[in-house]
Amino acid sequence: MPVTAKSQASGPAERAILSSDQAQDASGFANDFAVGDSATDQISHTKGGVLDGIVAFEGSTNWSSSGEGTGISLTAAKQAPGFKAQNNTLAVYVNPYEIAKFAARLDYEHGVAAAQPQPSLSAAPAQPKPAAKS
């Protein structure tokens, strides 16, 4: 059940992705996706999930070039010019108790966001083209 912070759901790229997902499966989207902030009105920043109830994962990476880094090679002795990377973490749980705790936390965060007013997620309107010069 994904949750996106209000501040992050309002960008044109994010709105386009969210509206496309919503258009493909409106009822599934409405049941599983929420836009909102945390119970303390902060950005919801949890990144992780539970897979089939048998493994859970969470970490600090943003799952994007800006969060993961660019120019990274796991095989090269030297990184590419312009190499940038953050120090991120990833925890993987296979203990049923830890999986249940994390799943409950995700359910709680989803419930908090889902209880907030949900924005209209239609794609941002196209910007008008400038008038041609004569």
Side-chain angles (χ1 to χ4, degrees), residues 2 4-5 7-9 18 21 24-25 28-29 34 40 44-46 48 57 74 86 90 109 118 122 128-129:
T4 295
S7 62
Q8 294 175 320
L18 294 173
D21 287 350
Q24 290 178 38
D25 182 7
F29 185 88
T40 58
S44 185
H45 211 248
T46 303
F57 62 96
L74 298 177
Q86 295 179 0
L90 175 66
E109 290 180 15
Q118 296 298 299
S122 59
K129 293 182 180 179

Side-chain angles (χ1 to χ4, degrees), residues 1-4 9 18 21 28-35 110 113-114 118 121:
M1 289 179 276
V3 174
T4 295
L18 294 173
D21 287 350
F29 185 88
N31 288 329
D32 295 334
F33 196 89
V35 174
H110 183 267
Q118 296 298 299
L121 294 174

